[in-house]
Amino acid sequence: MKYSSKLGLFVCAVALSAITAHASQTPLHHRLEVRLSPLTHELEVSDTISLGDLRSQDALTFQLHGDLEVTGSEGGQLLDSPGAAQDSSLPLREYRLVLDEEARQSGQLTVHYRGTIHHALEREAEEYARSFSSSPGLIGPEGAFLAGSTHWYPRFGDELVSFRLRVDLPEGWDAVSQGKRIEHSLEGGRRLVSWDSPEPMDEIYLVAATFQEYSQQAGAVTAQAFLRTPDPNLAAQYLEATAQYLDLYTRLIGPYPYAKFALVENFWETGYGMPSFTLLGPAVIRLPFIINSSYPHEILHNWWGNSVFVDFESGNWCEGLTAYLADFLIKEGQGQGTDYRRDALKRYLNFVRGEKDFPLSQFRVRHSPSTEAVGYGKSLMLWHMLRLRLGDDRFVRGLQTVFRRYRFQRASFADFETVFSQVSGEDLSDFFRQWVERTGAPALELGRVSAEPSQGGYRLQVEVRQTQGGEPYHLRVPLAVTVENRPEAGLHWLEMVGNTATLEARLPARPLVVEVDPAFDLFRRLDRSEIPASLGQVFGAERISIVLPGEEDAAAPQQWRAMAESWTGGQPERFQILAQDELTQLPADRAVWVLGSSNRWAAGLKDRLARLGGGWDGPTLNFGTETVQAAGKSFVFTVEHPDDPDLAVG
């Protein structure tokens, strides 16, 4: 059965409307003069701050990185605040500023400070399925990365800010930030770069390194690429992709909100999206699939997250929406939308259970496979179900209205609910409540099915049940029915407001097959019979045994043990490492890793692999119809656990 979609076609016919920024208040404005000394990890800053709506206050407090020393101020008396606290990742100092009369009248004050910022990269491993390297901020010979979370400039709570940034760097270096570049010159052996961002922002970034710059125009927008080593071919690919995706999302949502978009190569592996630029790692940008997957995702963040800001207190909506309109929409255009949705549901099934589950209203940021499965996957499915409910036309109008209304403001799930309810003429409060505020997912099973001849055709009755327990979900369940002598299945929608509902349909011929949600259009907990065993099923298991091979294996036993111990990530209660001879059978109550092709327990899994068309046979590996030489390769097979289909053996 095929589902047709016109969203990809519809974006080409969208009528663009003028969009103006709506600001609920006058933001703080920073005019920053920064001198960077990468070899000594130092910066020196003079920050003139226009206080906006805060000028009416007699005293203000702000936080600054604890390794930065304030050397002077104009506009009031600056005092240490005794309530200052340490951040979990860096030292902070809090200051209290009592404004003088001139500052209250002018609405301006200036703070001078200097010091070092150099937090080494640290590898984080939330779960053995994924690890990250990160730093809250650093300045060094390899480059500089400073964000709002670094507190490298005075932070007055969560106030939105605009800024103008002038950076003084060694010759050969360059600097990138948000907004439009208004200065790029050499004076006295120093590089001077200025960036102007009059648009409200939720933080200020400064990235610097020795870059090779490439650029081209994409309509009124400047597309730029800052690479750490010269590579004109790579730059040309990204600049052309930038122009294409800016055009696509302008047609879909509204005008691109910035003067430039820049690809910036980082000095460690990252995938960060900032307003008007993205910071990607050196290996990441050279992966062939990134330019058509992660890269459009980062560009789209300039509409969702980096101009319509997230009200994090009520949940992060933008990662799922961005994934839906970038990663998913591209796959849907290639005819792979069903596979993409199935994989999102599979990750939820594999990684989210028990206390790892939480509602979307509590999602802030991804830091593990389980938070990704909810914050990206469940959110993505919410937008998909909303689109199916409203249709492409009303869905797109809702997106455009949210962007027009909340550009350069913070928006919440509740704001989306209000806009889409207005655009559609439907009350969507129950829809958003159950998918945003409720933990968990529905689980469906097919109940009684009957078909009887009736009036030259057949009368079909299909019962569907919700089995997840608790309050039933309100669902529109798609049922595909294949009838005799017709190749294409017919689609029927079943409204469920209770635990059980029955579809009654008249068919032109005898029904042969009934499928519940075959295209994975509902967010739900999959049945294991719908999907094969997978690596995620092993990675996501609550308890895991790792079985080491014996002395006869080609690798030394200590190498296998070192790898197994690195996977445990300091979670001895979750992992169990065993030698192959310690077992009389594979553990039946947990997922299992069987390491090494010579492992005595690997041989017992060959029959299961053979039934799937895979396996190994001496010097060759078999993957279905493909055979490759095993020498010099590492390989992984995954099969259903022989004692429990909810578990897997890798």
Side-chain angles (χ1 to χ4, degrees):
M1 182 185 62
K2 297 180 180 178
Y3 285 91
S4 62
S5 164
K6 64 177 181 177
L7 183 55
L9 299 175
F10 183 81
V11 299
C12 298
V14 169
L16 301 181
S17 56
I19 291 180
T20 57
H22 296 270
S24 59
Q25 61 181 19
T26 304
L28 287 164
H29 182 81
H30 293 263
R31 192 168 74 247
L32 295 141
E33 299 277 344
V34 179
R35 182 181 177 93
L36 282 183
S37 301
L39 293 180
T40 57
H41 316 300
E42 291 179 295
L43 80 164
E44 185 175 352
V45 183
S46 176
D47 183 10
T48 299
I49 305 165
S50 298
L51 296 172
D53 294 338
L54 297 182
R55 66 191 295 175
S56 61
Q57 300 183 23
D58 293 333
L60 303 170
T61 59
F62 65 84
Q63 289 185 327
L64 196 62
H65 193 288
D67 292 334
L68 299 177
E69 178 188 1
V70 175
T71 58
S73 64
E74 293 112 43
Q77 184 180 11
L78 193 62
L79 305 169
D80 274 337
S81 175
Q86 294 286 317
D87 183 82
S88 60
S89 56
L90 75 166
L92 292 179
R93 246 178 122 175
E94 189 166 278
Y95 295 89
R96 185 170 184 268
L97 183 66
V98 180
L99 300 178
D100 60 25
E101 184 59 32
E102 183 178 347
R104 283 194 292 270
Q105 291 295 324
S106 67
Q108 284 193 346
L109 62 93
T110 301
V111 181
H112 310 278
Y113 54 94
R114 63 184 304 167
T116 61
I117 295 179
H118 192 257
H119 300 277
L121 293 175
E122 293 186 2
R123 194 167 185 83
E124 303 172 1
E126 290 288 338
E127 300 188 23
Y128 79 127
R130 168 173 290 173
S131 60
F132 308 88
S133 291
S134 64
S135 167
L138 72 167
I139 302 169
E142 66 281 4
F145 170 77
L146 303 173
S149 56
T150 314
H151 286 77
W152 68 277
Y153 60 92
R155 304 235 27 205
F156 296 80
D158 293 327
E159 295 289 331
L160 294 176
V161 300
S162 59
F163 69 92
R164 178 170 291 193
L165 169 65
R166 190 171 196 249
V167 190
D168 181 336
L169 303 127
E171 186 173 356
W173 279 63
D174 211 338
V176 183
S177 186
Q178 300 112 292
K180 180 179 181 179
R181 189 171 63 189
I182 57 174
E183 179 186 16
H184 196 243
S185 62
L186 279 173
E187 290 184 17
R190 302 282 295 182
R191 168 67 69 186
L192 299 176
V193 188
S194 293
W195 293 91
D196 183 41
S197 180
E199 309 90 352
M201 298 282 163
D202 51 7
E203 58 184 310
I204 304 172
Y205 293 94
L206 171 56
V207 176
T210 55
F211 290 126
Q212 177 70 46
E213 180 186 343
Y214 304 87
S215 66
Q216 73 176 47
Q217 284 302 118
V221 180
T222 301
Q224 295 174 301
F226 293 86
L227 303 181
R228 293 172 60 81
T229 55
D231 194 335
N233 291 331
L234 181 67
Q237 294 175 41
Y238 274 97
L239 294 176
E240 183 59 33
T242 300
Q244 293 175 0
Y245 288 120
L246 289 177
D247 178 67
L248 169 65
Y249 293 125
T250 292
R251 291 173 181 271
L252 178 63
I253 305 166
Y256 179 71
Y258 298 110
K260 67 110 177 16
F261 184 81
L263 165 73
V264 183
E265 182 179 357
N266 202 7
F267 53 94
W268 82 91
E269 297 306 329
T270 52
Y272 297 152
M274 292 80 164
S276 78
F277 73 99
T278 183
L279 189 63
L280 302 181
V284 170
I285 64 172
R286 290 168 175 84
L287 293 171
F289 56 85
I290 290 296
I291 201 166
N292 291 315
S293 57
S294 298
Y295 191 59
H297 182 106
E298 301 306 337
I299 290 176
L300 183 55
H301 265 311
N302 287 277
W303 282 265
W304 308 126
N306 289 334
S307 62
V308 178
F309 303 118
V310 178
D311 178 1
F312 283 99
E313 290 301 312
S314 57
N316 181 350
W317 49 264
C318 88
E319 291 298 353
L321 181 57
T322 303
Y324 186 67
L325 296 176
D327 314 61
F328 170 79
L329 197 60
I330 291 169
K331 289 295 185 183
E332 185 183 65
Q334 298 168 349
Q336 300 173 39
T338 296
D339 293 340
Y340 194 100
R341 294 190 297 271
R342 179 196 60 200
D343 289 344
L345 296 176
K346 185 167 64 175
R347 285 190 291 272
Y348 180 82
L349 179 68
N350 288 336
F351 291 109
V352 182
R353 60 178 64 84
E355 63 184 20
K356 289 186 177 180
D357 204 353
F358 57 92
L360 279 174
S361 59
Q362 294 180 11
F363 174 62
R364 303 294 182 264
V365 65
R366 174 185 67 188
H367 56 77
S368 65
S370 56
T371 54
E372 179 181 20
V374 175
Y376 286 64
K378 183 175 184 177
S379 179
L380 177 147
M381 291 299 297
L382 177 153
W383 302 114
H384 180 68
M385 291 184 293
L386 182 62
R387 174 186 163 195
L388 290 181
R389 176 168 174 164
L390 301 184
D392 285 354
D393 292 5
R394 292 194 296 175
F395 182 69
V396 170
R397 287 207 310 274
L399 296 175
Q400 294 172 340
T401 303
V402 171
F403 180 67
R404 182 169 60 249
R405 190 174 295 179
Y406 290 98
R407 194 175 74 149
F408 302 128
Q409 296 185 65
R410 292 189 175 93
S412 65
F413 275 114
D415 295 320
F416 276 86
E417 175 197 319
T418 298
V419 168
F420 276 97
S421 293
Q422 292 171 349
V423 167
S424 66
E426 297 184 34
D427 181 357
L428 296 171
S429 56
D430 287 344
F431 175 89
F432 276 89
R433 178 191 61 79
Q434 77 171 5
W435 298 119
V436 174
E437 299 176 12
R438 183 171 175 180
T439 299
L444 301 178
E445 70 175 15
L446 193 61
R448 190 177 67 87
V449 179
S450 65
E452 300 175 353
S454 174
Q455 299 178 355
Y458 277 79
R459 178 172 175 268
L460 175 70
Q461 288 188 316
V462 180
E463 182 185 67
V464 178
R465 306 184 189 118
Q466 296 188 42
T467 62
Q468 72 279 349
E471 178 188 354
Y473 286 81
H474 186 176
L475 305 174
R476 293 183 72 237
V477 182
L479 299 175
V481 181
T482 303
V483 301
E484 202 168 35
N485 299 322
R486 295 201 177 184
E488 291 289 331
L491 184 64
H492 304 263
W493 292 92
L494 174 63
E495 290 284 342
M496 292 193 76
V497 294
N499 288 317
T500 304
T502 300
L503 172 76
E504 296 192 10
R506 295 196 176 275
L507 305 175
R510 185 168 66 94
L512 302 176
V513 179
V514 176
E515 300 171 272
V516 178
D517 189 28
F520 307 100
D521 287 307
L522 283 177
F523 178 72
R524 59 186 174 88
R525 190 167 286 277
L526 295 177
D527 188 277
R528 280 292 174 193
S529 64
E530 296 181 272
I531 52 175
S534 66
L535 287 173
Q537 196 175 351
V538 191
F539 285 136
E542 293 182 344
R543 294 191 297 170
I544 301 148
S545 290
I546 304 175
V547 183
L548 305 177
E551 296 285 345
E552 69 278 5
D553 195 87
Q558 61 268 27
Q559 292 177 304
W560 284 114
R561 181 169 288 277
M563 185 179 80
E565 290 175 349
S566 74
W567 283 2
T568 63
Q571 303 177 71
E573 71 288 347
R574 186 182 177 204
F575 289 88
Q576 176 188 49
I577 300 176
L578 302 165
Q580 62 175 16
D581 295 331
E582 293 183 61
L583 297 174
T584 57
Q585 64 179 39
L586 289 179
D589 61 346
R590 63 192 64 204
V592 182
W593 280 112
V594 175
L595 303 184
S597 58
S598 66
N599 195 306
R600 60 179 289 197
W601 296 102
L605 302 172
K606 276 194 171 182
D607 288 344
R608 289 180 172 273
L609 287 169
R611 292 198 294 270
L612 298 171
W616 68 97
D617 184 14
T620 62
L621 305 171
N622 304 310
F623 299 90
T625 59
E626 185 177 358
T627 299
V628 297
Q629 295 300 309
K633 296 180 176 66
S634 297
F635 59 96
V636 180
F637 292 102
T638 313
V639 296
E640 186 180 284
H641 195 294
D643 296 309
D644 188 343
D646 284 333
L647 300 172
V649 179

